[in-house]
Amino acid sequence: MAPVTLPFAGLSRLFQQVKFPGGVSPQEIGLLLKSITSKRRPKHLPSVNGDFYDILDVLSDEERAIQLAIRTYMEERVRPVIASYWERGDFPHELVPSFAAMIQSTFGSRPYSLDALGPVLTGIAAMELARVDPSMYTFWGVHWGLSMGSIFMFGSDEQKQRWLPAMERFEKIGTWSLTEPEVGSATAAGLLTTARREDDVWIINGAKKWCGNAPIADLNVVFARDVADNQVKGFVVERGMPGYHVEKLEGKIALRVVQNANIQLQNVRVPEANRLPGVTAFRDVARQLAMARAIVAWAMTGTAMGAYEHTLAYANERIQFGRPITGFQLVQSGLVSMLGNLTAMQALCLRLSQLAARDGKLSHERASLAKAFCGEKMREVVATGRGLLGGNGILLEHDVARYFADAEALYSYEGTHEMNTLIVGRAITGMSAFI
């Protein structure tokens, strides 16, 4: 082993003469002291980059411009203000015009659906939104992907003309109602909300829960069971219809910016012109759910990406024992674990989207595997990040606390972890274990 030069020449000479027990050499003691006493950091730290395997390289130049436009908007307009809104549980209404302009400039006049930019780029767009704030991703996903997507997929030409242009400009905000207070995972087995036809009017009765955007929405795509044939139908319920009552859901510890609601439908009279003709059974709604689960997997990936990047940036600046904590082994171990999970999530989601593009459709089983796997790994990433920040990990000013809390909502919505696991289990064993 080469001689080690210690900070003090006299101390160095002394160490050369001392015999240490256990066979420890002076050079080894010197290396330890040098490590402990060194306060210097590298002149050029590596950039904070959550795309370790360069998945963005699959994008064309035009697609990369769209990805960068979304990232730039989210960094410059959303990140500086979102923690304040999260803490208050309020929605940033003043951002809607600029957010609408960004979405129009990137998504343009493409089909209104959860995969409007194609499976790969739409997934990456969702990742970029959630990378800064999962709540703004959810606002977009419910309005554009679910509400507008339902009208686009299941509506008549007249209905599309009536509602979609104003919704594209975010002049009218949409929501989407499937889950009920007493029916969550069991929606396929039958909704309790009913629809009964009288001439050219449908009478809807029931309740819905968790409806994102509902307190601020102008239109609500409501799914109800037709009492005549016991099949699910879809209706556009408009704000102000008698018997339609919206109450903001309070007390959330996750996605606090998203305005969720409990909804009561008491003899709401919806004209036949507001029934979506493309919804004739639950299997039609299930087509949307597969896409939604795939996009949520991408959003989970974005949440993990944001948590990892913020944790690494924080650790580079946090000084303990005279050096950045990124220089300590346990911190590096945690960061590498976060990055490994994140990279696995990105690779899985990318391949899922590539298969959807290749086949022209999305497999329920593959979407459910992505949702289940990414949910688990997202939770591990945000929990590790929260721990590495120590006490600061529960403060909004460092962002990781927000990702840590918001992850719990993404973990459960669009199908719980358990239900998605059983969907995959049925596919690989041929046996259903739901009941």
Side-chain angles (χ1 to χ4, degrees), residues 143-397:
H143 170 74
W144 190 282
L146 292 176
S147 188
M148 293 177 67
S150 294
I151 296 171
F152 178 77
M153 289 177 67
F154 307 127
S156 66
D157 290 340
E158 186 276 331
Q159 289 170 335
K160 295 175 188 178
Q161 278 297 324
R162 193 189 342 166
W163 290 310
L164 290 180
M167 295 179 78
E168 180 187 340
R169 298 189 295 269
F170 286 72
E171 293 169 2
K172 289 185 180 293
I173 302 299
T175 184
W176 191 86
S177 296
L178 178 65
T179 302
E180 300 179 349
E182 304 300 327
V183 182
S185 298
T187 50
L191 298 175
L192 299 181
T193 300
T194 61
R196 177 172 51 85
R197 184 167 183 172
E198 292 183 358
D199 298 324
D200 286 336
V201 173
W202 292 83
I203 313 300
I204 300 180
N205 282 282
K208 297 291 181 179
K209 190 175 184 178
W210 295 111
C211 313
N213 301 347
I216 61 176
D218 303 282
L219 306 172
N220 189 350
V221 176
V222 174
F223 297 96
R225 179 172 52 84
D226 183 354
V227 297
D229 61 8
N230 213 37
Q231 296 296 323
V232 172
K233 303 291 195 299
F235 306 88
V236 176
V237 177
E238 300 179 77
R239 176 183 289 275
M241 285 183 168
Y244 176 65
H245 305 289
V246 179
E247 179 184 4
K248 181 182 175 181
L249 190 61
E250 301 284 1
K252 293 192 303 173
I253 67 163
L255 294 183
R256 289 176 51 78
V257 173
V258 177
Q259 304 298 289
N260 293 96
N262 287 317
I263 291 177
Q264 295 292 326
L265 300 122
Q266 300 172 335
N267 294 317
V268 180
R269 299 177 65 85
V270 179
E272 166 65 11
N274 282 33
R275 181 180 65 84
L276 299 175
V279 181
T280 61
F282 183 80
R283 64 176 177 273
D284 299 312
V285 185
R287 290 163 51 200
Q288 267 193 307
L289 293 178
M291 285 192 293
R293 285 168 183 161
I295 299 300
V296 170
W298 274 107
M300 289 172 163
T301 303
T303 302
M305 191 175 185
Y308 164 76
E309 291 179 345
H310 276 81
T311 301
L312 176 56
Y314 174 89
N316 280 334
E317 298 298 324
R318 180 69 170 175
I319 306 297
Q320 291 293 296
F321 305 105
R323 63 191 301 182
I325 64 172
T326 42
F328 296 109
Q329 291 179 355
L330 290 180
V331 173
Q332 290 190 3
S333 176
L335 289 168
V336 171
S337 174
M338 294 175 74
L339 180 60
N341 281 334
L342 168 60
T343 303
M345 295 164 71
Q346 290 170 335
L348 185 150
C349 286
L350 177 59
R351 184 55 182 160
L352 173 69
S353 294
Q354 289 173 333
L355 290 173
R358 183 197 71 183
D359 299 339
K361 61 182 180 180
L362 189 61
S363 158
H364 285 281
E365 295 79 14
R366 287 171 174 166
S368 287
L369 179 60
K371 173 68 168 59
F373 177 84
C374 291
E376 281 190 346
K377 298 308 172 185
M378 169 192 64
R379 272 179 140 189
E380 292 178 15
V381 169
V382 299
T384 302
R386 197 230 76 61
L388 288 176
L389 265 66
N392 286 333
I394 65 170
L395 295 176
L396 284 173
E397 66 179 284

